[in-house]
Amino acid sequence: MKKISLIGLVILSCISCVKSGDTIPSVAVSFEAALTDPRLSALRPIDGAVIINGYGVAGLIIFHEADGSYAAYDRCSSYQPQNKCAVTLDNPTLTATDPCSGSKFSLTDGTPVKAPATSSLRSYTVNTTPFEIFVSN
């Protein structure tokens, strides 16, 4: 019986060791714009990307994927997200860099491609019509 209690205590201790500050905060996001909006002009070509401030934790990045669809991410770096360091677009716009840590992220799926980040950027749902784009969570 003591062995089972000890195993349970060890498992509970391991579960509680996860730091709550290691995830990008979840905030409500609801962005909507016409695809002809001048702020989105860089999205017209495949692999184009734009930054939209004022949404999410540190702003949004919207990326035009090779298949014609769009992806959207929070600009808040997943490396020490409590610092709310906003990633910046690289040139070409296939990646974004965290200027605070040097971490680099792929815009095709949000995954880190350069350390020290080990977690992906927070992604958002993107829906489009022939005339509008909607980003939400």
Side-chain angles (χ1 to χ4, degrees), residues 24-31 52 54-63 65 70-76 109-110 121-127 133-137:
I24 298 169
S26 181
V27 297
V29 171
S30 181
F31 171 78
I52 304 293
Y55 296 87
V57 175
L60 300 176
I61 291 179
I62 304 174
F63 178 70
E65 299 186 279
Y70 297 90
Y73 306 99
D74 202 295
R75 289 185 63 202
C76 183
D109 59 8
L121 296 173
R122 178 176 296 280
S123 63
Y124 295 111
T125 301
V126 180
N127 293 300
I133 187 166
F134 305 91
V135 178
S136 62
N137 54 351

Side-chain angles (χ1 to χ4, degrees), residues 26-73:
S26 181
V27 297
V29 171
S30 181
F31 171 78
E32 165 181 349
L35 287 169
T36 56
D37 186 319
R39 296 176 296 169
L40 305 181
S41 63
L43 284 179
R44 289 188 185 112
I46 296 295
D47 296 335
V50 296
I51 290 175
I52 304 293
N53 291 313
Y55 296 87
V57 175
L60 300 176
I61 291 179
I62 304 174
F63 178 70
H64 193 175
E65 299 186 279
D67 66 1
S69 64
Y70 297 90
Y73 306 99

Side-chain angles (χ1 to χ4, degrees), residues 5-131:
S5 296
L6 182 60
I7 291 171
L9 184 59
V10 169
I11 291 171
L12 185 59
S13 295
C14 289
I15 292 171
S16 65
C17 287
V18 176
K19 295 179 187 174
S20 62
D22 285 348
T23 58
I24 298 169
S26 181
V27 297
V29 171
S30 181
F31 171 78
E32 165 181 349
L35 287 169
T36 56
D37 186 319
R39 296 176 296 169
L40 305 181
S41 63
L43 284 179
R44 289 188 185 112
I46 296 295
D47 296 335
V50 296
I51 290 175
I52 304 293
N53 291 313
Y55 296 87
V57 175
L60 300 176
I61 291 179
I62 304 174
F63 178 70
H64 193 175
E65 299 186 279
D67 66 1
S69 64
Y70 297 90
Y73 306 99
D74 202 295
R75 289 185 63 202
C76 183
S77 176
S78 64
Y79 182 74
Q80 298 179 338
Q82 66 277 10
N83 295 339
K84 297 183 182 172
C85 192
V87 299
T88 58
L89 292 174
D90 296 333
N91 188 8
T93 56
L94 298 173
T95 57
T97 299
D98 173 351
C100 302
S101 71
S103 297
K104 194 173 284 274
F105 301 89
S106 167
L107 293 181
T108 58
D109 59 8
T111 58
V113 294
K114 182 181 175 196
T118 57
S119 299
S120 297
L121 296 173
R122 178 176 296 280
S123 63
Y124 295 111
T125 301
V126 180
N127 293 300
T128 59
T129 70
F131 307 104

